[in-house]
């Protein structure tokens, strides 16, 4: 394929050479098959163990083991995939090629080499499914494998993490890191060190979700939200007092608005050193809540509470909250009881999580399109594994229309026309609202579509599995990580012949996504394993992506009566707009990446110190060095181990509190740097300087505070009672993901309408 040749050339041909090498190693593995078939189970396992560093031998043994253990004989392409994974690449394999088995073979290879492996999935349902499905392979080899499910308690998690291969959803993995990172005894922790991560849906996890912060919060009297500021903000006038940018991502206070707020609050200047990181942030947060967060789109109000809607996936997650101030601001806006803040104890992005492993690899159907990001952010290379059967899917050119209404109407007619033949249709939409609008429109026309915006991954997988049955229409938002592949004729392939005859699965996109990669994920659902199938996208020239990405380009075209535009320049315009949008997103990504990198580096330094405090008597040595008299006194009253334990608890408490405050400061800092930097060149440099000096203070202050506590708190034979001293750990903690961090302040694309109609 021309596209791939271009790709290899761009990368100096290394990938191409690797691919050739993989093919030849797999061919050598294939030649060993007859010989291995003769071995007893025990001899086969011994041979695998003895030859774990010899690629052809290892792959040949793993193929035979898979065949005997689960009755699946890996195809050559799956062995190639496993080999590339073992070498640390991101492997591109199309949907339905059997990435699960490739990943498991690589996992077994790593585990045979003595590495503990974390096999990372996009949700708990898949973690459990994969562990059960692939488990016999590991057990056959004398290895252990288990999964962690979101419903598992600490004890179950601890047991699972002791296995050689651990299947776990990425957010659960992150939450366990966060909780372990605040343990005050080694016994409390659940994880065991692991050097290898194998990441399924690698582009989705490592690129799309990489900057999503996972948050550990603890109950504590949070900062009182400001009813007064909410009231004042409610009185501001759009256009005069504040403006909203075209992308609806940012809202800006004007000078008029700022003066008005200052007058109403009775303060001199919002931009004073004193106000800039407190009052100004609160005003902005309240404005953001008022203008940018829409009830029933971004959140719903249920049982007197605000529940977030993840607009791209349509899931409502109970434990999700916005960063504290914003959650409170939305609650205030809705006139609800403002929930008791709580404080953020620690955060972790998936980028930082993945950075903890020495060896990372992954697989996805759409790796090549994210090649730049994999290389730039993770130093990972992409390897393409050709499909087992050549892909014969018919990808039609886009059908382009002047307006969204025209494109939508045309897409609906197409669904109806295809459906009339009983051919199964999968319709891709970009968000929940779009999927519901489409399903409703289809219902009015007598078509009962299955809509995938479930809150239940297991039920969702079952719906997908049936999406290839004759006469089905399935409407979905983003396809990444949606469980199973779509077999023609239904999950049991009962009506396969009929559907093959009809042309296989028909994929219809009602709009192009912001990246070609997401388009590719949708297309890839048709044409699995050499099946027939087709895909087509309906695109509107007034679509946000096309308008923003195409800003500055003149395009003069004449639509036909139904709004359709058959003009090659329009198609080129759409492609270009998508490339511009991708480039903009990449640069936003790169900036956010830098912010997070610094925070991650700081946390790593802190982790080293925390580990030493936790596992040695360092705290005692430091504190008794600072306060020798108090140390002597304590030792005269309690046994040494009690004294050492008390010092440890005190030191950890102050370190953890210091970090929690530091994170809060960094958030405020980032916000205020952004506000102040509108005129300056580089907010990130300013952020770096301030963050580094704050971090230096953090370490020193934590020791000072610990020394102060050591001097004053009561230490008895039972140790130290920090609760009684008002320094207790939070009585409860909870974790959540910030899906769309409105405070991240990403630059948005502001453009003017590019397309002109005559
Ligand atoms: P992917 O994640 O690449 O889309 P899966 O791992 O879900 O694909 O596998 C797709 C389907 O192909 C599964 O139903 C699986 O049972 C089947 N499959 C995979 N590998 C083999 C094999 N070597 N032999 C037979 N069936 C296989």
């Amino acid at each position: 394929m021309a596209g791939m040749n271009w790709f290899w050339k761009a990368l100096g041909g290394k990938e191409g050479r690797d691919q050739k090498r993989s093919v030849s190693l797999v061919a050598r593995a294939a030649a060993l098959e007859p010989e291995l078939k003769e071995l007893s189970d025990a001899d086969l396992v011994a041979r695998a163990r003895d030859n774990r560093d010899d690629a052809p031998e290892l792959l040949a043994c793993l193929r035979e083991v898979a065949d005997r253990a689960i009755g699946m004989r890996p195809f050559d392409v799956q062995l190639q995939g496993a080999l590339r994974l073992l070498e640390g690449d991101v492997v591109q394999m199309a949907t339905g090629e059997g990435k699960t088995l490739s990943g498991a073979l690589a996992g077994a290879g790593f585990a045979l080499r003595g590495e503990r492996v974390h096999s990372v999935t996009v949700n708990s349902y898949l973690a459990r499914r994969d562990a059960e499905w692939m488990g016999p392979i590991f057990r056959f080899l004398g290895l252990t494998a288990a999964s962690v499910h979101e419903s598992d308690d600490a004890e179950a998690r601890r047991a699972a993490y002791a296995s050689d291969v651990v299947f776990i959803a990425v957010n659960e993995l992150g939450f366990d890191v966060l909780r372990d990172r605040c343990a005050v005894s080694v016994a409390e922790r659940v994880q065991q060190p692991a050097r290898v991560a194998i990441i399924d849906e690698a582009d989705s996890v490592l690129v799309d979700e990489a900057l999503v912060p996972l948050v550990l919060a603890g109950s504590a009297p949070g900062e009182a939200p400001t009813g007064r500021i909410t009231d004042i903000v409610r009185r501001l006038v759009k256009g005069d007092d504040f403006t909203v940018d075209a992308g609806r991502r940012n809202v800006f206070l004007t000078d008029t608005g700022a003066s008005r707020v200052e007058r109403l609050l009775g303060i001199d200047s919002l931009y004073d050193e004193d106000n800039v990181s407190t009052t100004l942030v609160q005003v902005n947060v309240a404005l953001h809540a008022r203008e940018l967060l829409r009830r029933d789109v971004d959140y719903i109000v249920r049982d007197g509470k605000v529940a977030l809607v993840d607009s791209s996936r349509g899931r409502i997650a109970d434990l999700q909250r916005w960063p504290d101030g914003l959650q409170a601001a939305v609650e205030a806006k809705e006139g609800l009881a403002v929930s008791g803040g709580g404080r953020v104890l620690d955060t972790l992005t998936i980028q930082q999580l993945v950075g903890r492993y020495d060896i990372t690899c992954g697989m996805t159907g759409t790796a090549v399109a994210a090649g730049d990001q994999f290389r730039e952010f993770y130093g990972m290379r992409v390897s393409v594994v050709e499909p087992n059967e050549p892909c014969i899917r018919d990808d039609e050119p886009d059908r382009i229309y002047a307006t969204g209404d025209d494109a939508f109407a045309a897409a609906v007619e197409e669904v109806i026309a295809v459906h009339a033949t009983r051919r199964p249709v999968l319709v891709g939409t970009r968000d929940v609202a779009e999927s519901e609008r489409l399903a409703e429109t289809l219902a009015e026309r007598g078509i009962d579509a299955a809509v995938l915006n479930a809150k239940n991954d297991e039920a969702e997988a079952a719906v997908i599995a049936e999406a290839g049955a004759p006469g089905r229409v399935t409407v979905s938002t983003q396809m990444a990580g949606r469980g199973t592949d779509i077999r023609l004729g239904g999950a049991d392939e009962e009506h396969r012949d009929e559907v093959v005859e009809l042309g296989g699965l028909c994929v219809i996109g009602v709009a192009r996504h912001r990246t070609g990669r997401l388009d590719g994920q949708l297309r890839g659902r048709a044409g699995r394993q050499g099946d027939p199938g087709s895909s087509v996208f309906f695109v509107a020239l007034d679509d946000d992506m096309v308008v923003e990405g195409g800003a500055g380009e003149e395009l003069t075209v004449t639509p036909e009566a139904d709004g359709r535009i058959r003009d090659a320049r329009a198609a080129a315009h759409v492609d270009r707009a998508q490339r511009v949008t991708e480039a903009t997103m990449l640069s936003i990504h790169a900036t956010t990446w830098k912010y997070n990198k610094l925070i991650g580096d700081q946390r790593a330094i802190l982790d080293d110190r925390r580990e030493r405090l936790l596992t040695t008597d360092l705290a005692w040595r430091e504190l008794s060095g600072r306060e020798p008299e108090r140390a002597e006194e304590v030792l005269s009253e309690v046994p040494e181990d009690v004294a050492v334990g008390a010092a440890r608890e005190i030191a950890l408490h102050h370190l953890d509190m210091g970090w929690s405050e530091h994170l809060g400061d960094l958030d405020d800092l980032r916000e205020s740097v952004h506000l102040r930097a509108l005129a300056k060149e580089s907010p990130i440099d300013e952020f770096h300087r301030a963050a580094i000096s704050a971090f230096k203070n953090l370490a020193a202050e934590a020791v000072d505070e610990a020394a102060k506590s050591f001097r004053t708190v009561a230490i008895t034979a039972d140790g130290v009672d920090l609760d009684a001293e008002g320094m207790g750990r939070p009585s409860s903690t909870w974790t959540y993901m910030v899906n769309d961090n409105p405070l991240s302040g990403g630059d948005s694309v502001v453009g003017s309408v590019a397309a002109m109609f005559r």
Side-chain angles (χ1 to χ4, degrees):
M1 272 192 279
M4 275 162 201
N5 286 335
W6 165 83
F7 178 72
W8 285 328
K9 220 181 280 165
L11 293 173
K14 175 101 177 70
E15 272 74 10
R17 283 200 301 280
D18 278 346
Q19 202 207 22
K20 281 208 187 111
R21 210 181 108 249
S22 299
V23 171
S24 102
L25 289 173
V26 168
R28 278 164 56 197
L32 294 167
E33 189 166 6
E35 182 186 340
L36 297 186
K37 286 233 172 287
E38 303 300 317
L39 297 181
S40 69
D41 287 356
D43 288 345
L44 176 61
V45 172
R47 180 134 167 192
R49 288 193 168 276
D50 291 345
N51 294 286
R52 60 193 181 184
D53 293 313
D54 175 316
E57 279 279 346
L58 176 67
L59 295 173
C61 290
L62 290 175
R63 166 179 272 171
E64 185 58 23
V65 168
D67 197 8
R68 291 189 198 183
I70 61 170
M72 271 163 72
R73 178 187 169 277
F75 304 122
D76 285 356
V77 289
Q78 286 173 308
L79 293 187
Q80 282 160 24
L83 179 63
R84 303 310 316 148
L85 290 170
L86 282 163
E87 299 194 354
D89 286 357
V90 181
V91 176
Q92 168 159 312
M93 289 170 74
T95 310
E97 287 293 305
K99 289 186 277 295
T100 315
L101 181 56
S102 275
L105 298 179
F110 281 121
L112 284 172
R113 292 173 186 173
E115 301 287 359
R116 178 175 285 111
V117 177
H118 287 172
S119 191
V120 182
T121 60
V122 293
N123 63 47
S124 286
Y125 157 72
L126 290 173
R128 184 178 277 175
R129 183 202 74 172
D130 291 355
E132 281 172 9
W133 188 13
M134 298 292 142
I137 295 178
F138 303 107
R139 283 190 286 282
F140 192 102
L141 287 162
L143 300 164
T144 54
S147 64
V148 174
H149 193 270
E150 60 199 22
S151 61
D152 286 342
D153 62 13
E155 202 177 322
R157 284 169 192 256
R158 207 170 286 123
Y161 276 118
S163 307
D164 298 310
V165 180
V166 187
F167 289 83
I168 183 167
V170 63
N171 53 346
E172 289 304 311
L173 183 63
F175 292 148
D176 282 332
V177 169
L178 286 168
R179 283 184 289 252
D180 273 6
R181 240 160 51 168
C182 74
V184 293
S185 72
V186 173
E188 226 177 276
R189 299 198 283 208
V190 299
Q191 293 195 322
Q192 304 267 346
R195 292 205 322 129
V196 179
I198 301 177
I199 299 161
D200 196 9
E201 306 287 358
D203 57 335
S204 176
V205 171
L206 296 180
V207 176
D208 300 332
E209 309 255 294
L211 303 174
V212 171
L214 303 172
V215 180
L216 177 72
S219 54
E223 230 178 60
T226 52
R228 193 156 162 233
I229 288 182
T230 308
D231 283 341
I232 291 173
V233 164
R234 203 170 274 144
R235 286 149 68 181
L236 299 181
V237 180
K238 187 165 169 178
D240 289 344
D241 296 325
F242 65 89
T243 56
V244 178
D245 71 24
R248 281 186 48 84
R249 291 178 54 120
N250 290 300
V251 40
F252 303 100
L253 208 55
T254 61
D255 287 346
T256 317
S259 319
R260 187 138 174 232
V261 171
E262 285 155 3
R263 209 169 50 245
L264 292 168
L265 279 173
I267 58 173
D268 274 349
S269 167
L270 275 172
Y271 297 89
D272 272 356
E273 205 59 40
D274 283 351
N275 290 326
V276 82
S277 63
T278 52
T279 317
L280 180 59
V281 171
Q282 289 177 359
V283 169
N284 274 292
V285 162
L287 254 182
H288 191 118
R290 175 185 145 174
E291 275 303 306
L292 303 187
L293 297 177
R294 295 153 299 174
R295 184 168 174 165
D296 296 329
V297 176
D298 301 302
Y299 64 91
I300 58 171
V301 175
R302 191 173 58 184
D303 307 330
K305 292 200 182 78
V306 169
L308 273 66
V309 176
D310 170 0
S311 61
S312 61
R313 299 215 180 144
R315 296 192 167 92
I316 294 167
D318 288 335
L319 283 178
Q320 286 179 2
R321 295 164 54 93
W322 281 298
D324 274 333
L326 194 57
Q327 182 81 14
V330 173
E331 286 162 349
K333 165 184 162 188
E334 292 293 337
L336 303 171
V338 172
S339 55
R343 67 187 299 165
V344 171
L345 299 175
D346 198 1
T347 64
L348 179 74
T349 60
I350 289 167
Q351 157 202 0
Q352 292 158 353
L353 173 65
V354 172
R356 295 165 58 88
Y357 295 88
D358 296 322
I359 302 170
T360 46
C361 58
M363 54 266 189
T364 167
T366 40
V368 171
D372 287 346
Q373 283 96 326
F374 285 127
R375 200 173 43 252
E376 180 173 345
F377 299 135
Y378 296 97
M380 290 167 88
R381 290 179 319 153
V382 168
S383 281
V384 178
V385 172
E386 296 296 337
N388 189 41
E389 301 283 344
C391 179
I392 58 165
R393 184 183 60 235
D394 178 18
D395 294 327
E396 287 179 41
D398 291 344
R399 296 194 203 167
I400 300 177
Y401 290 82
T403 69
D405 286 344
D406 291 338
F408 191 82
V412 168
E413 294 307 324
E414 180 73 6
V415 174
I416 292 169
V418 177
H419 173 72
T421 68
R422 278 179 57 80
R423 196 175 158 200
V425 185
L426 174 71
V427 197
T429 59
R430 289 170 302 177
D431 55 40
V432 183
E434 204 167 59
S435 69
E436 285 177 351
R437 180 168 158 230
L438 183 71
E440 277 164 26
T441 312
L442 289 173
E444 283 162 15
R445 305 285 296 270
I447 295 179
D448 184 19
V451 184
L452 286 174
N453 51 12
K455 289 129 215 147
N456 180 332
D457 295 314
E458 191 159 357
E460 189 171 281
V463 172
I464 289 272
E466 289 299 336
R472 285 262 172 171
V473 177
T474 309
V475 174
S476 178
T477 51
Q478 270 185 40
M479 287 306 295
R482 291 213 186 263
T484 357
D485 61 333
I486 300 176
R487 295 180 173 219
L488 299 187
D492 55 7
E493 302 184 86
E494 194 190 331
H495 303 284
R496 183 178 163 84
D497 293 346
E498 180 187 349
V499 174
V500 167
E501 191 68 20
L502 289 167
L505 181 67
C506 171
V507 165
I508 294 175
V510 301
R512 291 266 297 260
H513 296 82
R514 286 189 167 265
T515 71
R517 195 157 45 76
L518 294 178
D519 293 342
Q521 283 174 4
L522 178 61
R523 278 191 207 286
R525 287 297 170 149
R528 126 185 214 286
Q529 289 275 351
D531 284 345
S534 69
S535 74
V536 64
F537 282 81
F538 288 77
V539 189
L541 287 185
D542 67 355
D543 179 79
D544 283 353
M545 184 278 285
V546 180
V547 172
E548 288 168 16
E553 296 253 352
E554 288 281 316
L555 176 68
T556 313
V557 284
T558 315
E560 294 166 15
D562 60 355
R564 177 114 185 235
I565 294 168
R566 292 173 203 265
D567 187 323
R569 286 175 304 162
H573 180 76
V574 169
D575 286 338
R576 207 159 39 230
Q578 191 180 53
R579 282 199 301 275
V580 169
T581 307
E582 284 171 357
T584 309
M585 285 169 65
L586 184 60
S587 95
I588 293 175
H589 199 123
T591 307
T592 315
W593 186 271
K594 284 182 205 152
Y595 281 108
N596 289 335
K597 174 86 171 70
L598 177 82
I599 301 174
D601 289 349
Q602 293 191 336
R603 178 68 211 197
I605 295 170
L606 190 104
D607 273 345
D608 278 346
R609 175 163 170 79
R610 203 178 186 287
E611 186 69 20
R612 276 183 294 134
L613 289 173
L614 188 66
T615 55
T616 71
D617 62 358
L618 177 66
W620 172 255
R621 281 186 281 122
E622 284 183 354
L623 292 178
S624 58
R626 292 271 296 243
E627 305 286 339
E629 282 166 29
R630 173 63 175 150
E632 220 163 280
E633 186 185 21
V634 171
L635 280 183
S636 71
E637 287 162 8
V638 304
E640 192 177 351
D641 60 327
V642 174
V644 169
R648 173 179 303 137
E649 272 193 60
I650 292 169
L652 288 174
H653 169 80
H654 288 290
L655 193 70
D656 291 346
M657 285 303 109
W659 176 251
S660 161
E661 276 164 29
H662 182 62
L663 283 178
D665 293 347
L666 291 183
D667 246 12
D668 292 347
L669 179 64
R670 188 151 136 184
E671 188 74 352
S672 65
V673 158
H674 257 282
L675 295 171
R676 274 181 296 185
L678 293 174
K680 291 189 194 168
E681 334 89 276
S682 175
I684 189 111
D685 290 342
E686 191 175 337
F687 177 81
H688 266 224
R689 254 193 316 281
I692 286 167
S693 85
F695 186 68
K696 275 195 195 124
N697 294 342
L698 152 66
E701 276 166 20
V703 178
D704 289 347
E705 290 294 316
K708 213 189 289 170
S709 296
F710 183 61
R711 220 160 43 226
T712 54
V713 304
I715 297 173
T716 66
D718 295 331
V720 59
D721 186 354
L722 289 180
D723 275 333
E725 304 284 346
M727 296 190 288
R729 303 177 75 194
S731 53
S732 66
T733 61
W734 61 93
T735 50
Y736 58 90
M737 264 172 105
V738 184
N739 265 308
D740 177 13
N741 186 347
L743 296 185
S744 66
D747 309 323
S748 72
V749 202
V750 187
S752 56
V753 180
M756 296 194 322
F757 308 115
R758 249 203 329 233

